[in-house]
């Protein structure tokens, strides 16, 4: 049994309606993005829909029909249920004896014929109609479905709150209907409510996750996920579709991951959302990264680092050339620190260029490039072009491979100031990581001027934090000597202001490796990580654990939070 795609390609090439080169290009797009091949051919301008329909009709020996000129009997329409007509994009047009004739854009879909035979008890014949005609007629003859389904979906919704009746079964909804539903006021209000509450809760991420019988909404607040509410399963398709419409993504594509972004205004403040949609076993999962420009503190002195740490960073960034690396796991605030450093050196007399994947914050006066790997615009290729733009300062969103780090180091050696991030856990470990990536030790010692390892720790809620006496074992483990000074330790309690979490906001802790002459010599000798760390501590470097303990003694965070975020110093 031939599929429509196979017969279509055979017919179009045989009748010379399109060239083999056009077919190859269309198949390439089809493989990459999915969707219907005939729709891609029309969108690319290789063939118009009228000629395509005529070619299919002649090649398959199936007569065509112009549905817009055909009046369908209501009794015939009742033979095919609404959900089936929308699912398979078919329109019943006539019945002669025991044979039901349907119009469809895909006459070779055997599943349609089998299902209709089972449901109607009739034999099924097919005629060809354009996809647009089929969709228009379905919307014309089944208008109650669009509004009726939405009313059931959002029943009980009031002006200020939202109550949705839970339904077990999820109806399949075609793309045309989804687009209409996504623009309906109740769906818009529900989606906006999720986004607005996420902003008000100071969340960095909003997750909309399909479960087996429900839709879970979670906010990541201060680095910790918190489940906010559970919505009925039947809200899933419309919420995802609404977000796709806002992000200008393909509403019909549900098999492949999609990425996008959109911008909202709340109380005169602009908030960017970075969107990632991932197909899962129970439907499409949506992850929204909230980029609140008003909440972003792009000031190196307001990120919460200790004063002496800030002074070391500023000293490194004041160099005319060299490389500064910021390392840490995902979500540790590396990009924010880079932006703050970049803003600190920003000057109209300097040419600043960034390469990011993607650009998180638009900075006025700075040239920002978004990486697009699918078209060959990688970090490495972008950097090669940037070097021809006469830059003074280059920021690379992330060093991922040897090509990128090789160009970055050569840029640092040829008079440019280079800022970038690296996925390592410690500052000294970054040196070892660079060597493992294939960078020669002499290049590291000659180009790198400083490495910052950082984490974000939660701050105790100032309204409800309470003093307490920690266990002696905990005091001993953290090597605290309370006899030298009266120390008050605080722990989280929880109140309405902090959503009963006991923490409110986050602050940075750091470990800064300054490339002194002795450290450079150790790098040249390929010293091990712990050896470099021991020497750096002798020269005054504080580890992440030690920097975090300063925040504990200041009453900013708790001992438990430091133990959660940092590892013990060897």
């Amino acid at each position: 049994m031939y599929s429509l795609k196979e017969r279509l390609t055979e017919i179009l090439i045989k009748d010379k309606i399109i060239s083999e080169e056009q077919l190859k290009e269309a198949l390439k797009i089809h493989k990459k993005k999915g969707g219907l091949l005939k729709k891609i051919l029309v969108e690319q301008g290789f063939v118009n829909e009228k000629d395509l329909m005529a070619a299919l009709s002649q090649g398959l020996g199936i007569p065509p029909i112009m549905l817009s000129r055909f009046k369908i009997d209501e009794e015939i329409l009742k033979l095919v249920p609404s959900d089936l007509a929308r699912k398979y994009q078919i329109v019943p047009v006539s019945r002669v004896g025991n044979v039901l004739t349907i119009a469809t854009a895909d006459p070779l879909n055997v599943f349609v014929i089998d299902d209709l035979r089972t449901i109607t008890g009739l034999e099924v014949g097919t005629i060809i109609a354009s996809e647009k005609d089929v969709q228009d007629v379905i919307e014309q003859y089944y208008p109650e479905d669009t509004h009726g389904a939405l009313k059931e979906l959002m029943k009980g919704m009031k002006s200020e709150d939202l109550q949705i009746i839970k339904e077990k079964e999820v109806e399949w909804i075609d793309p045309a209907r989804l687009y209409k539903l996504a623009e309906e006021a109740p769906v818009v209000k529900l989606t906006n409510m999720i986004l607005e509450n996420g902003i008000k809760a100071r969340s960095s991420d909003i997750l909309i996750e399909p479960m087996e019988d429900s839709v879970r909404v979670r906010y990541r607040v201060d680095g910790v996920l918190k489940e906010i509410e559970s919505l009925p399963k039947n809200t899933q398709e419309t919420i995802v579709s609404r977000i796709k419409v806002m992000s200008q993504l393909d509403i019909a594509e549900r098999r492949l991951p999609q990425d996008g972004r959109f911008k909202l205004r709340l109380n005169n403040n602009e908030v960017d959302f970075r969107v990632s949609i991932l197909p899962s076993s129970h439907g499409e999962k949506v992850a929204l990264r909230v980029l609140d420009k008003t909440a972003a503190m792009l000031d190196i002195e307001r990120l919460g680092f200790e004063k002496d740490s800030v002074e070391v960073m500023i000293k490194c960034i004041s160099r005319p050339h060299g490389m500064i690396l910021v390392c840490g796991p995902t979500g540790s605030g590396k990009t924010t620190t880079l932006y703050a450093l970049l803003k600190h050196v920003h000057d109209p007399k300097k040419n600043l260029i960034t390469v990011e994947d993607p650009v998180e914050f638009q900075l006025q006066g700075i040239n920002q490039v978004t990486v697009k790997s699918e078209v060959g615009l990688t970090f490495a290729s972008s950097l090669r072009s940037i070097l021809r733009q006469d830059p003074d300062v280059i920021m690379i969103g992330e060093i991922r491979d040897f090509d990128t780090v090789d160009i970055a180091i050569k840029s640092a050696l040829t008079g440019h100031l280079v800022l970038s991030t690296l996925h390592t856990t410690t500052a000294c470990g970054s040196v070892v990581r660079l060597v493992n990536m294939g960078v020669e030790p002499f290049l590291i010692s000659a180009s790198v001027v400083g490495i910052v390892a950082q984490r974000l720790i939660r701050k105790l809620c100032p309204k409800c934090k309470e003093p307490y006496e920690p266990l002696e074992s905990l005091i001993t483990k953290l090597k605290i000597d309370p006899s030298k000074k009266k120390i008050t330790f605080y722990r989280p309690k929880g109140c309405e202001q902090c959503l009963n979490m006991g923490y409110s906001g986050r602050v940075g802790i750091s470990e800064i490796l300054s490339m002194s002459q002795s450290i450079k010599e150790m790098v040249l000798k390929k010293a091990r990580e712990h050896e470099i760390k021991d020497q750096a501590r002798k020269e005054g470097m504080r580890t992440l654990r030690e920097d975090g303990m300063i925040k504990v003694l200041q009453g900013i965070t708790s001992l438990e939070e430091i133990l959660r975020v940092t590892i013990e110093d060897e």
Side-chain angles (χ1 to χ4, degrees), residues 299-318 341 344 510 512 542:
D299 186 340
I300 192 64
E301 295 182 355
R302 294 180 58 203
L303 296 179
F305 296 120
E306 292 301 307
K307 187 176 179 180
D308 58 345
S309 297
V310 172
E311 289 174 354
V312 174
M313 291 186 201
I314 292 176
K315 183 179 178 181
C316 291
I317 203 76
S318 300
L341 292 172
H344 185 82
S510 63
I512 305 177
R542 271 197 311 271

Side-chain angles (χ1 to χ4, degrees), residues 335 338 354-357 379 395-399 419-422:
T335 303
L338 280 186
T354 75
V355 188
E356 305 168 65
D357 184 19
F379 279 109
M395 189 190 95
I396 307 168
E398 181 185 345
I399 289 178
L419 314 178
S420 188
T421 68
L422 197 63

